[in-house]
Amino acid sequence: MNKDLYTAKKRAFADMDILEFFFFLLLAVCVVFQTWGFSFGDQAYFGAVILVGILAASKILASRYTGRDLIVCGILLAVGLFFAFRSHRYTLLLTALLLISAKGIETRRLLSSYLWIKVFAILSLFGLATIGVFDVDTFQHYRMTTGEFETRTLINGAATNIVHLGFFAVSVIWLCLRYGKIHLREVAMLLILDSVLYLAVTRSVAGVSLSAISILLIYVCSKSKASERLLLRIAPLLPFGLMLVMVILGYAYGSGELLESINRLSTGRIAYDHYWLEAYGPTILGSSFTELIDEGNFDDSFVYVLVIYGIVFAFLLYGAVTALLARMRREGDASGALLVILFLIYSVVESMYPSAVVNPSLFLLGAYLFGMGSMSGGIDDHTAGETKGAVASNCLVGSSGRVFRKVGMFHG
């Protein structure tokens, strides 16, 4: 596995022109700072994003666009700008800029690069904490499932569940890129790392559980055609299905012991959902985030999107994801569908789904919106001249693990 990792890392950045480099620089700044616990409220992060974003804008301006592309760009920017003013949140604007600037970059190479940026971010977080650059604090966290308090860790003021989310992203991307070539030893190694990370650092039950389930699910689907077909059959039902389940549970909380048990298993998330839905309810076009920031933290992307960004945006977002999964079902793209589905499932316990910085599956959605071809076929003819390395990267293979396969299953 080590040799495969080295080969994938070395070739992920091969054949990169200067405009692509600006995009990857922006992506790296966003991913690293987010993993380190910074947000737009921190001047260092905000300044770095603005500075690098100016460079990344050159890729947007130099790209070639069809009429469809311009419509997609206009919609993405309009949505991002609207909510920047409406909800005082810049997440959607940054996501829009990342998706637009990622246009023309081969999706498999983009995801591989994201993987290595995230690995660097996590390791550097621990390294900087070890040498004292980042403060390491502890706090007492009440565990509803056991009724006891436990010690949790903060690194640079951020909860370590961010770290476990990063490990989840690395594991899922790695296995989906390796789909069809996964060895049992890789699965065992990732499960061991998942457990060690939980016991030694994060103490995130949601993180360790969902990471383990995801690792095992990808492996089972890669080895069982029946499981793969079942996954593809139900995939388009999940975006709105999960949203409906979380909304029903949120509204129904307090009506019986069953809901109380589910709430304990979710470490209070259903009770939080109930509060947000009852106090503010789903909005039509979103809420002012400044009204809600002092009320606590969302731990469920579906309720978060409905309350903060509104019903219209929720239907646009999850409708687009449904269309993407329907296409993946038609084309038999199990690995791509798994990547999208697993981030959807993880978003039940974290309010991270609309952010491409934390949710790289949105880059598959971006590729779909821009009408890009499958992962095995590279990019569409009208974008073929944009990035010199995109077509060449389709033929990259690892020397032993064949991390990148010319005949792949990802479809953008």
Side-chain angles (χ1 to χ4, degrees):
M1 183 175 177
N2 289 337
K3 189 174 181 180
D4 291 344
L5 292 173
Y6 173 76
T7 303
K9 181 179 179 181
K10 181 179 178 181
R11 292 179 171 175
F13 295 97
D15 302 314
M16 185 187 302
D17 63 21
I18 188 64
L19 294 179
E20 283 191 4
F21 174 75
F22 291 158
F23 162 76
F24 282 114
L25 184 60
L26 174 62
L27 180 65
V29 167
C30 294
V31 172
V32 170
F33 272 83
Q34 182 276 332
T35 306
W36 286 354
F38 291 98
S39 67
F40 269 114
D42 299 293
Q43 292 184 350
Y45 182 28
F46 184 80
V49 169
I50 294 298
L51 180 63
V52 179
I54 293 173
L55 297 177
S58 63
K59 182 183 183 305
I60 298 175
L61 296 175
S63 296
R64 297 167 56 193
Y65 298 93
T66 64
R68 168 180 173 159
D69 294 338
L70 291 174
I71 292 173
V72 172
C73 290
I75 292 174
L76 289 174
L77 285 175
V79 170
L81 289 169
F82 175 81
F83 286 106
F85 290 103
R86 170 71 171 171
S87 300
H88 308 286
R89 292 282 287 173
Y90 300 96
T91 299
L92 292 185
L93 181 57
L94 181 57
T95 293
L97 293 174
L98 285 170
L99 296 187
I100 293 171
S101 57
K103 176 184 171 292
I105 298 176
E106 197 265 336
T107 314
R108 184 182 291 272
R109 188 152 60 94
L110 192 160
L111 290 173
S112 181
S113 300
Y114 181 99
L115 183 155
W116 290 111
I117 292 169
K118 179 62 79 171
V119 169
F120 167 79
I122 294 173
L123 293 179
S124 60
L125 174 70
F126 290 146
L128 292 171
T130 300
I131 63 177
V133 175
F134 289 156
D135 294 330
V136 179
D137 302 304
T138 60
F139 67 99
Q140 294 299 306
H141 173 75
Y142 179 69
R143 176 76 66 191
M144 293 189 69
T145 50
T146 63
E148 299 176 352
F149 285 90
E150 66 178 13
T151 300
R152 300 286 290 269
T153 303
L154 295 174
I155 301 179
N156 196 35
T160 49
N161 60 343
I162 294 177
V163 175
H164 223 118
L165 175 56
F167 174 80
F168 164 84
V170 168
S171 300
V172 168
I173 294 173
W174 169 256
L175 291 175
C176 286
L177 288 174
R178 293 268 300 152
Y179 195 79
K181 300 287 185 178
I182 302 171
H183 297 295
L184 187 58
R185 63 176 179 269
E186 296 172 67
V187 174
M189 182 180 296
L190 289 172
L191 290 174
I192 291 171
L193 289 173
D194 185 32
S195 300
V196 170
L197 190 63
Y198 167 76
L199 294 171
V201 182
T202 69
R203 309 300 295 182
S204 172
V205 173
V208 68
S209 301
L210 290 176
S211 295
I213 291 170
S214 300
I215 291 166
L216 292 172
L217 180 61
I218 296 172
Y219 180 71
V220 169
C221 288
S222 71
K223 302 302 180 183
S224 169
K225 290 298 181 183
S227 299
E228 185 179 87
R229 286 193 296 270
L230 177 61
L231 172 93
L232 288 170
R233 187 174 298 120
I234 67 173
L237 304 176
L238 292 177
F240 286 110
L242 288 171
M243 183 172 70
L244 182 62
V245 168
M246 298 311 297
V247 170
I248 290 175
L249 289 176
Y251 274 120
Y253 174 73
S255 60
E257 276 298 317
L258 177 60
L259 270 297
E260 190 61 45
S261 298
I262 295 174
N263 183 57
R264 284 195 296 270
L265 289 174
S266 70
T267 61
R269 285 177 170 85
I270 305 302
Y272 275 120
D273 285 350
H274 178 77
Y275 169 76
W276 294 117
L277 291 170
E278 288 291 336
Y280 297 95
T283 57
I284 300 298
L285 293 174
S287 305
S288 172
F289 193 81
T290 55
E291 297 175 0
L292 305 179
I293 188 64
D294 294 329
E295 300 290 347
N297 296 318
F298 287 87
D299 279 322
D300 169 14
S301 289
F302 293 99
V303 172
Y304 170 74
V305 167
L306 285 169
V307 173
I308 297 298
Y309 296 116
I311 295 172
V312 172
F313 175 75
F315 274 82
L316 286 174
L317 173 62
Y318 295 118
V321 175
T322 298
L324 170 62
L325 288 171
R327 171 181 168 177
M328 290 175 168
R329 181 174 63 181
R330 291 194 302 271
E331 298 180 345
D333 180 13
S335 55
L338 276 164
L339 185 68
V340 175
I341 288 169
L342 292 175
F343 274 93
L344 269 172
I345 293 173
Y346 206 108
S347 73
V348 169
V349 300
E350 294 288 350
S351 56
M352 52 77 174
Y353 196 79
S355 172
V357 177
V358 189
N359 175 17
S361 72
L362 290 179
F363 287 111
L364 275 72
L365 179 61
Y368 168 74
L369 293 176
F370 283 113
M372 291 176 63
S374 70
M375 290 287 288
S376 59
I379 53 180
D380 278 359
D381 292 339
H382 75 269
T383 55
E386 286 183 31
T387 43
K388 297 178 181 179
V391 175
S393 66
N394 291 330
C395 301
L396 294 178
V397 293
S399 58
S400 60
R402 298 188 180 275
V403 176
F404 299 99
R405 292 174 292 124
K406 186 174 182 179
V407 182
M409 296 196 69
F410 270 90
H411 294 272

